[in-house]
């Protein structure tokens, strides 16, 4: 995207609406100006983006996404923050991971997207001058701090923070758990239990309302990892899970939703079981 000068206002409105409605479109639109090259889309990106759209629409209450490393998962989840703020400037997000540096990078990237000329040309959102740090920044509405993005490691402080808001209906933010368990700790019962307790006792209580979604995205690490903890009924709410393995076969493809299944290339060699 380039300067907004002399752009047809009808096209600008259409782009704004499509960015608000389609997560993959938003991600691609803001990836190239930031990175200098196009976001290369694979079928699994469309699958993840579709699931995120379902969360925003309220058709999926809470979401678990299992994908291997290097799948673009953090990029897609990073863009949920500015897209959520574009839709509602009062949106509030909690972004948590085992890595403090990761969450700060994500929060900073999301903030830079919101501050960018491309974003401001579509949604003139103001960021508070009082709260504008890598790990914590706020938007202002009518002169008051309203939206909030707060990031922390799983061992960090999240009490007093909330995701979502009581002020509006519809999607107003989310709790995002991006690899809540360090891979090196996968076989540590103590570390796994600590991460699971954090999700149950602390993270789950940070919702502004019961309908505020939690999105857990991680690679599978162990049979007793946070994915298993959530999907075996330990955390309240309805949970939808999508799993994207490193290697797929025809059985896996045939079980995908039809609109995703037709995007998976069939004319490639696959490992036999």
């Amino acid at each position: 995207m380039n300067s907004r000068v002399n752009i047809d206002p009808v096209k600008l409105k259409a782009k704004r609406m499509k960015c608000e409605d389609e997560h993959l479109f938003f991600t691609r639109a803001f990836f190239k100006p930031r990175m200098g090259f196009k976001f290369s889309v694979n079928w699994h990106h469309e699958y993840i983006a579709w699931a995120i759209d379902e969360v925003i629409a309220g058709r999926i209450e809470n979401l678990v996404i299992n994908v291997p490393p290097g799948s673009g998962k953090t990029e897609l989840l990073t863009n949920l923050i500015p897209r959520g703020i574009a839709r509602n400037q009062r949106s509030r997000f909690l972004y948590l991971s085992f890595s403090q540096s990761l969450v700060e990078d994500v929060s900073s990237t999301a903030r830079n997207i919101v501050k960018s000329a491309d974003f401001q040309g579509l949604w003139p959102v103001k960021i508070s001058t009082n709260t504008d740090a890598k790990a914590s920044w706020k938007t202002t509405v009518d002169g008051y701090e309203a939206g909030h993005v707060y990031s922390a490691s799983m061992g960090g402080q999240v009490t007093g923070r909330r995701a979502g808001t009581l002020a509006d209906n519809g999607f107003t933010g989310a709790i995002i758990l991006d690899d809540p368990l360090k891979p090196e700790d996968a076989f540590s019962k103590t570390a796994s239990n600590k991460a699971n307790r954090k999700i149950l006792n602390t993270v789950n209580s940070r919702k502004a309302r019961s309908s505020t979604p939690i999105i857990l995205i991680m690679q599978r690490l162990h049979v007793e990892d946070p994915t298993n903890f959530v999907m075996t009924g330990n955390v309240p709410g309805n949970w939808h899970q999508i799993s994207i393995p490193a290697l797929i076969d025809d059985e896996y493809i045939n079980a995908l939703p039809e609109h995703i299944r037709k995007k998976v290339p069939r004319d490639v060699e696959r490992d036999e079981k």
Side-chain angles (χ1 to χ4, degrees), residues 95-266:
Y95 200 105
L96 308 175
S97 173
F98 78 85
S99 169
Q100 181 66 33
S101 61
L102 169 65
V103 295
E104 287 187 358
D105 285 347
V106 166
S107 178
S108 178
T109 298
R111 180 185 59 171
N112 290 341
I113 291 173
V114 172
K115 286 184 173 182
S116 70
D118 290 302
F119 186 98
Q120 291 294 319
L122 294 167
W123 308 277
V125 174
K126 294 182 180 179
I127 292 180
S128 171
T129 56
N130 295 322
T131 310
D132 185 11
K134 267 189 175 184
S136 178
W137 51 276
K138 297 181 178 181
T139 63
T140 60
V141 177
D142 298 328
Y144 294 92
E145 290 185 339
H148 190 195
V149 177
Y150 182 80
S151 60
S153 68
M154 288 295 290
Q157 182 66 257
V158 296
T159 55
R161 316 293 179 180
R162 285 284 186 274
T165 174
L166 296 173
D168 302 285
N169 295 320
F171 182 80
T172 60
I175 298 172
I176 302 171
L177 306 174
D178 186 348
D179 285 332
L181 181 64
K182 191 176 182 179
E184 290 83 351
D185 290 338
F187 292 92
S188 167
K189 184 75 171 177
T190 300
S192 295
N193 287 343
K194 184 178 180 181
N196 292 338
R197 284 197 305 272
K198 183 84 170 186
I199 294 171
L200 176 61
N201 298 329
T202 305
V203 174
N204 191 57
S205 67
R206 297 298 93 199
K207 297 180 175 186
R209 62 175 70 185
S210 60
S211 59
T212 300
I214 298 177
I215 300 175
L216 166 61
I217 187 163
M218 63 177 292
Q219 59 173 310
R220 289 307 306 267
L221 298 170
H222 190 271
V223 293
E224 296 183 359
D225 63 10
T227 288
N228 176 74
F229 183 76
V230 166
M231 295 307 300
T232 51
N234 292 292
V235 180
N238 296 317
W239 291 82
H240 179 84
Q241 181 183 21
I242 66 173
S243 179
I244 302 170
L247 297 175
I248 62 174
D249 55 21
D250 286 338
E251 182 180 357
Y252 174 84
I253 296 172
N254 291 333
L256 291 170
E258 183 179 358
H259 68 286
I260 300 297
R261 182 167 65 243
K262 66 184 182 181
K263 296 178 182 296
V264 182
R266 294 276 191 168

Side-chain angles (χ1 to χ4, degrees), residues 1-27:
M1 288 186 293
N2 298 314
S3 170
R4 299 296 170 193
V5 177
N6 297 326
I7 290 185
D8 185 343
V10 174
K11 291 182 178 179
L12 199 63
K13 181 180 179 181
K15 178 168 285 187
R16 182 167 58 245
M17 292 177 63
K18 195 163 186 179
C19 278
E20 292 179 5
D21 291 343
E22 298 180 20
H23 193 65
L24 189 58
F25 184 87
F26 183 99
T27 299

